[in-house]
Amino acid sequence: MLATTSPLLRTIKSNCLASSHRRSICSSTQVDRDADVDRSSLPIHPVQPRIFSLQDSFYKRPLPSHLISFSSPAGKTLFREAMEAGDMEAYWTLAEQFNTQTEPAYCGLTTLSMVLNALSIDPKRLWKGPWRWFSEDLLDCCYPLEEIKKHGITFDQFENLAICNGAEITSFKSPTFDEDFFRQKVREACKKGDAHLVASFSRGILGQTGDGHFSTIAGYHEAKDMVLMMDTAKFKYPAFWCHLPLLREAMVPVDKLTSQPRGFFILKKREDCATDCDKADATWSSLYHQIQDTLPRVLEAEASNLTTFDDVIKTMLRHIPTSMEQCYNKQDNISVLLQGLEKTDLYRHIQEWSASLGLTPNELKMAVGLMLAYPHQLYRHLPSNLSRLIIDRFNAEQLPDIHSTIRSIRSEMLRHNHTHHHHSHAHVSP
């Protein structure tokens, strides 16, 4: 049975509703995306994006009274008491990386980059100058940043990006876990400090403006049953303490766009420290290990937007691991293979519109070869007509000078991968 609502929580909820009414909070349809582009003064169906002037702009928002600012005297007391109890171990590495998101809809990207850096995961690709470091702009491997700037990311997209960039992540969606289970996981994360917990929740339930949001939990105060939220939208709200039962309730509302619930994630550093962009010691087997963790999930999440062959190919090309080139460089007779791939109908077809993808001619040839070698099970989440079209089109590319090599690459991909599956563990409430 799920935990019952306490008198304190009922009072807080009542205050949230009153506060929400006074501020005329807009219920955004972009749920599970950061709603910190404040829409309270926008028309319900705007024809075009509004250009704000200084007169109708905002400088911060007042924090609801039942939430306690981290830097306030009460917030400092909670921090000191939680630290003395040993429940602030997650805070230190997160504090070192605590950033303000650079776009109103970047809460998911900023929170994820903050956690990846806190876990000391090497992105294995350049950030600026000679330095390797995670930033929001570096998390463009799965979804276009221009789209994320407009809409943010969903629960599933957050998970995909974490996997793609070297984290071990476990997701828990409401209502498959209860308050006690959530509290247990918060305690573990905050006491050990070797993993970080990210919540996906509705701001409206907390009495804040906006709706869908992502935030890390950096500490836990057991006596008050409160968690410290490291909110990256610092231009709007500071880091704050929140009652755990209220945060659990804020995970319940369903995303109106995806019809999926919210929940939370636990992220750890993967033992192999491999990312999709890790070029060190890349093999076809390790590359496929990464692909089968991400591509089927992406295709499933984007299924409603994939209606044509080109839609699917463009999505697949955006998720080609950069370790691909390292794998090809180990391949015998690579020049012969690339020449053969250049003759394929698929290459010639994609070449017509590939400029927007930012791929060089050789990278495009390699990507075509990789897609031709993909095992068919990667398309299992596509509509049957599209998956059949993809398979038929790919099978038609049976040119003699590449067929045996493509088949060999597919065999290498599947080597040692038959027993690998990704599971998202969920706790079922009794």
Side-chain angles (χ1 to χ4, degrees), residues 44-237:
I44 297 175
H45 300 292
V47 176
Q48 59 185 8
R50 177 172 175 177
I51 305 300
F52 288 95
S53 66
L54 187 61
Q55 287 71 29
D56 58 9
S57 62
F58 303 96
Y59 179 72
K60 296 187 174 182
R61 287 289 198 185
L63 198 64
S65 60
H66 56 274
L67 304 177
I68 300 175
S69 173
F70 176 50
S71 61
S72 67
K76 292 176 183 178
T77 298
L78 289 170
F79 178 83
R80 183 174 60 254
E81 292 173 351
M83 184 174 64
E84 290 172 353
D87 291 325
M88 293 298 302
E89 291 305 306
Y91 169 79
W92 306 109
T93 53
L94 288 174
E96 289 178 335
Q97 312 303 333
F98 192 22
N99 289 331
T100 300
Q101 60 196 68
T102 58
E103 293 284 343
Y106 265 11
C107 70
L109 291 190
T110 307
T111 297
L112 180 56
S113 64
M114 174 178 153
V115 170
L116 293 172
N117 288 325
L119 291 171
S120 296
I121 295 175
D122 184 346
K124 301 294 177 70
R125 57 201 192 276
L126 293 177
W127 166 59
K128 294 181 186 293
W131 301 104
R132 302 192 302 272
W133 198 248
F134 280 107
S135 67
E136 298 154 326
D137 290 346
L138 211 64
L139 298 177
D140 62 349
C141 52
C142 296
Y143 310 101
L145 291 179
E146 287 305 313
E147 288 300 311
I148 297 176
K149 286 179 183 179
K150 298 175 187 175
H151 308 298
I153 58 175
T154 67
F155 187 98
D156 290 340
Q157 288 171 340
F158 183 98
E159 184 176 18
N160 291 339
L161 281 167
I163 295 170
C164 188
N165 286 282
E168 176 186 322
I169 184 168
T170 310
S171 62
F172 304 88
K173 286 186 178 181
S174 294
T176 60
F177 63 91
D178 60 19
E179 183 183 303
D180 290 336
F181 179 77
F182 178 48
R183 183 177 291 105
Q184 173 194 337
K185 293 301 179 184
V186 167
R187 279 174 172 162
E188 290 174 0
C190 294
K191 194 170 284 291
K192 294 180 180 178
D194 60 346
H196 290 298
L197 195 150
V198 174
S200 170
F201 61 97
S202 168
R203 278 196 185 278
I205 300 298
L206 301 189
Q208 299 177 329
T209 63
D211 205 331
H213 199 54
F214 291 94
S215 180
T216 56
I217 292 178
Y220 177 64
H221 192 291
E222 184 173 3
K224 300 290 187 181
D225 200 18
M226 299 184 81
V227 293
L228 176 60
M229 310 292 290
M230 301 286 274
D231 195 331
T232 59
K234 292 186 278 185
F235 53 84
K236 185 176 182 180
Y237 293 112

Side-chain angles (χ1 to χ4, degrees), residues 279-284 325-332 334:
K279 298 183 179 182
D281 300 322
T283 65
W284 292 117
E325 187 173 354
Q326 182 73 8
C327 293
Y328 271 106
N329 288 338
K330 298 176 182 179
Q331 194 72 32
D332 294 334
I334 183 174

Side-chain angles (χ1 to χ4, degrees), residues 248-315:
R248 164 69 186 89
E249 185 155 336
M251 298 176 187
V252 173
V254 170
D255 181 336
K256 298 172 186 175
L257 193 62
T258 65
S259 298
Q260 294 294 315
R262 298 176 176 86
F264 69 97
F265 309 93
I266 297 174
L267 293 90
K268 297 181 179 180
K269 185 175 183 177
R270 212 156 61 202
E271 289 186 7
D272 59 7
C273 296
T275 74
D276 263 7
C277 301
D278 187 351
K279 298 183 179 182
D281 300 322
T283 65
W284 292 117
S285 178
S286 65
L287 180 143
Y288 182 63
H289 181 103
Q290 299 161 8
I291 292 169
Q292 70 171 346
D293 264 343
T294 55
L295 186 58
R297 292 169 175 268
V298 170
L299 293 177
E300 182 179 24
E302 301 295 323
S304 60
N305 299 320
L306 304 177
T307 58
T308 68
F309 176 81
D310 285 358
D311 290 339
V312 178
I313 296 302
K314 288 175 183 177
T315 301

